[in-house]
Amino acid sequence: MRVVIAEDLFLLRDGLTRLLEANGMKVTAAVETGEELLAAVAADRPDIAVVDVRLPPGFTDEGLRAALAARRAHPGLPVLVLSQFVEQLYARELLAGGSTGGIGYLLKDRVMDGAQFIDAVRRVAQGGTAMDPEVITRLLTHNSSAGPVATLSPRERQVLGLMAEGRSNAAIAQQLVITERAVAKHTASIFVRLDLQPSDDDNRRVLAVLAYLNKKEEKN
C-alpha cells in the first residue's frame, strides 16, 4: 500500500512514516504543505493520503483544501484527515465527497494508538470510513434537536454512531453486548427512520448515513 503524508510537524511526520512502514506500507512522499501534497499525488497516485487539516502558511484549513483539491483531480482518492480538534465544518466538507471514495477523520490523539491508526488507514484505503467517535458524537448531537435523527431511540443512536466509525454488525454487537440479529433490526429501523435504503455493502451504507447527516447539517 502506497501512502502520501502531509504533516508540517517533523516529529509527527517522521513518526507516522516509521509506523506505516513498520506495518508493511510504503510512504511515497512525506511533505509539509498543501502544494507539495498535490504534487506528490499527481506524481505517483497513492492508495491513500494522510493529511493534517492545518498546514503552512496559514495553519487554518490549507491541508483540508489541498485534500479536497486532490480528490477533485483524482476522483476516489482515499483521504484520512488528522486534526487536533473536532471542527464540524471540516468534517462536513470531507463527508460531502464521501460517496466517491474512502474517507476518514481522526483526532491526532488516536495516532497514539498504533494498531487503531493502522486499522483506520487500511479501512479508508479500501474505500471504507474511519470517523473518530467524538466527531460522530458532535455531528449526531448537532442534528438531534429536529428532523428524522431526533426520532431515533438511544440504542439506535449508539448503533448509528458505531456504523459511522466503520464498524461491522459483528463488531457493533460485541461493543454493545447484544446479538447480531438485534443489530440488524436496529440498522433496518435506522434506515426506515432516515428514509435510506439498506445495503449489503457496509461501506456504502455508512457513507449514505454520513452523507445524510451532512446534508441535514448544511440545511441547519
Side-chain angles (χ1 to χ4, degrees), residues 2-220:
R2 293 170 296 113
V3 185
V4 165
I5 299 171
E7 165 60 54
D8 66 292
L9 294 177
F10 170 76
L11 290 179
L12 181 54
R13 187 170 67 248
D14 184 64
L16 289 174
T17 299
R18 292 174 182 272
L19 177 61
L20 292 167
E21 293 184 339
N23 282 273
M25 304 180 197
K26 180 180 180 181
V27 176
T28 59
V31 301
E32 299 180 41
T33 69
E35 290 184 0
E36 291 173 330
L37 170 65
L38 292 174
V41 171
D44 182 15
R45 170 79 179 265
D47 296 305
I48 183 172
V50 178
V51 185
D52 186 1
V53 166
R54 299 183 176 186
L55 294 176
F59 296 99
T60 55
D61 61 354
E62 287 86 351
L64 177 67
R65 286 190 283 108
L68 294 174
R71 284 172 66 89
R72 286 192 296 270
H74 306 278
L77 172 70
V79 171
L80 175 58
V81 167
L82 302 178
S83 180
Q84 193 69 40
F85 308 101
V86 178
E87 300 172 87
Q88 293 188 33
L89 174 61
Y90 297 151
R92 185 173 69 242
E93 290 191 56
L94 182 66
L95 295 176
S99 61
T100 61
I103 55 172
Y105 187 116
L106 296 182
L107 296 183
K108 286 187 174 181
D109 288 347
R110 306 295 175 186
V111 180
M112 302 302 177
D113 185 329
Q116 185 176 6
F117 176 70
I118 292 299
D119 177 67
V121 171
R122 288 176 173 154
R123 190 187 310 156
V124 173
Q126 293 169 1
T129 59
M131 302 299 296
D132 194 284
E134 189 169 344
V135 175
I136 296 303
T137 297
R138 292 290 185 89
L139 290 175
L140 290 175
T141 300
H142 187 80
N143 290 285
S144 62
S145 60
V149 173
T151 68
L152 299 179
S153 69
R155 177 64 85 186
E156 288 168 347
R157 287 171 60 81
Q158 286 181 309
V159 171
L160 179 59
L162 292 170
M163 284 170 56
E165 291 177 35
R167 307 283 188 93
S168 66
N169 279 5
I172 293 173
Q174 183 177 17
Q175 176 74 21
L176 299 180
V177 194
I178 58 178
T179 65
E180 288 189 50
R181 184 176 181 180
V183 173
K185 288 184 177 180
H186 288 309
T187 300
S189 177
I190 289 169
F191 278 109
V192 169
R193 292 176 186 272
L194 300 185
D195 194 27
L196 294 169
Q197 295 300 314
S199 169
D200 292 332
D201 184 330
D202 287 338
N203 291 333
R204 287 190 301 170
R205 179 183 67 182
V206 173
L207 289 173
V209 173
L210 291 175
Y212 178 87
L213 292 174
N214 173 63
K215 194 174 298 182
K216 297 305 290 183
E217 184 175 323
E218 287 179 332
K219 292 179 180 179
N220 290 340

